[in-house]
Amino acid sequence: MCQLLGLNCATPTDASFSFTGFCQRGGATDHHADGWGIAFFEGRGLRLFIDHESAANSRMAEFLRSYPLKSKNIVAHVRKATIGEVSLENAHPFTRELWGRHWVFAHNGDLKDYFPKLHSAFRPVGTTDSERAFCWLMQELAKSHASLPSVEELTHTLRELIPQVTRFGTFNFLLSNGEAMWAHCSTKLHWLVRQYPFSKATLMDHDWTVNFAEVNQPGDRAAVIVTTPLTSDEQWTAFEPGELKVFVDGVVV
């Protein structure tokens, strides 16, 4: 299956440290070598980079590791193809517009025989179960709310919609609109918050240790959500199966 990485931050933050370790799982330290992608929200704008090559060997991924883009919401994905061929249109994250906002979605898991009814406003471009699920979520959110609702209202609606997808299989996902980040666990997902007083962290998949106390200010804070912990010396918390969390400004709300 695939792996997910999300950052939700109080101040614009770069993902170089986490993304460097995460990329190694795309073909070097793990077998998720069937494409990758990363999305950075910048205000109402969005920078999206996707590739059907492996993250560990991609020149684009190498560029992004050395060219830190700062964002308050970042979603990344490395893919192990199960449903849908290895191609650019099947690389996560996927994006759609709703209520004049960009939405970004990445999924880990398989949804067997999942072909929901979709109207013309939200249609998949590729052939993955993941993109079909994203289109259906966007469609149902649009049906439920006439305009952009509060984070609390969106969370309530998502809690009602998710069981209609999970009955088809595994539905670990990250979803963000640049204001908040929703993370749902079917089987495996972990999180932590890096905040003052900061400490050192050492990547599991790459020889790199950072002392965050030397590079952050007291007001900085970042929630990191990942399929499998990225570091060996930080306290990661596992999601409960079926749990949905929403993060705003690096805090669970």
Side-chain angles (χ1 to χ4, degrees):
M1 290 191 184
C2 310
Q3 291 215 3
L4 305 169
L5 169 66
L7 278 80
N8 172 267
C9 312
T11 57
T13 303
D14 75 74
S16 296
F17 179 72
S18 295
F19 185 60
T20 295
F22 187 66
C23 279
Q24 302 312 305
R25 298 177 179 182
T29 62
D30 215 330
H31 58 245
H32 308 91
D34 297 329
W36 66 276
I38 187 168
F40 303 85
F41 283 90
E42 293 186 24
R44 283 179 165 265
L46 181 73
R47 297 182 189 265
L48 175 66
F49 302 86
I50 55 172
D51 196 349
H52 65 284
E53 303 292 340
S54 69
N57 298 318
S58 168
R59 294 290 297 274
M60 187 189 303
E62 180 183 358
F63 165 73
L64 290 172
R65 292 195 295 270
S66 62
Y67 183 73
L69 294 171
K70 292 190 174 184
S71 172
K72 292 181 65 176
N73 285 280
I74 300 167
V75 177
H77 183 275
V78 289
R79 183 176 185 231
K80 175 64 176 176
T82 53
I83 299 176
E85 67 275 9
V86 177
S87 60
L88 192 63
E89 63 266 27
N90 287 335
H92 306 219
F94 302 105
T95 68
R96 292 294 188 277
E97 177 277 328
L98 179 59
W99 303 308
R101 300 287 291 268
H102 292 290
W103 290 76
V104 171
F105 174 89
H107 168 229
N108 163 30
D110 286 339
L111 301 172
K112 301 297 185 183
D113 300 317
Y114 181 68
F115 295 94
K117 292 183 178 179
L118 299 171
H119 60 57
S120 58
F122 298 101
R123 293 278 188 176
V125 175
T127 55
T128 65
D129 53 335
S130 306
E131 191 181 14
R132 290 194 291 271
F134 179 38
C135 288
W136 184 81
L137 283 178
M138 292 292 96
Q139 172 181 284
E140 298 306 306
L141 286 175
K143 287 180 182 178
S144 300
H145 304 280
S147 58
L148 180 64
S150 67
V151 170
E152 182 180 7
E153 289 176 291
L154 283 166
T155 304
H156 178 75
T157 304
L158 284 170
R159 290 191 195 281
E160 294 181 337
L161 295 175
I162 287 169
Q164 299 181 56
V165 183
T166 55
R167 62 192 180 94
F168 289 91
T170 304
F171 198 43
N172 304 296
F173 73 76
L174 297 175
L175 174 70
S176 181
N177 63 356
E179 177 185 4
M181 184 172 296
W182 290 266
H184 178 260
C185 174
S186 280
T187 54
K188 183 188 292 185
L189 209 56
H190 295 79
W191 69 284
L192 60 72
V193 174
R194 294 187 182 125
Q195 60 187 344
Y196 183 85
F198 294 96
S199 59
K200 292 182 179 179
T202 302
L203 290 172
M204 290 183 179
D205 301 87
H206 189 77
D207 184 18
W208 192 4
T209 298
V210 168
N211 183 356
F212 285 101
E214 296 177 350
V215 297
N216 284 289
Q217 303 299 317
D220 294 337
R221 182 175 57 250
V224 185
I225 308 101
V226 69
T227 301
T228 302
L230 287 170
T231 56
S232 59
D233 47 3
E234 293 183 288
Q235 187 65 46
W236 294 87
T237 300
F239 281 65
E240 294 293 330
E243 187 173 18
L244 174 69
K245 289 185 180 295
V246 57
F247 299 83
V248 176
D249 293 334
V251 175
V252 178
V253 298

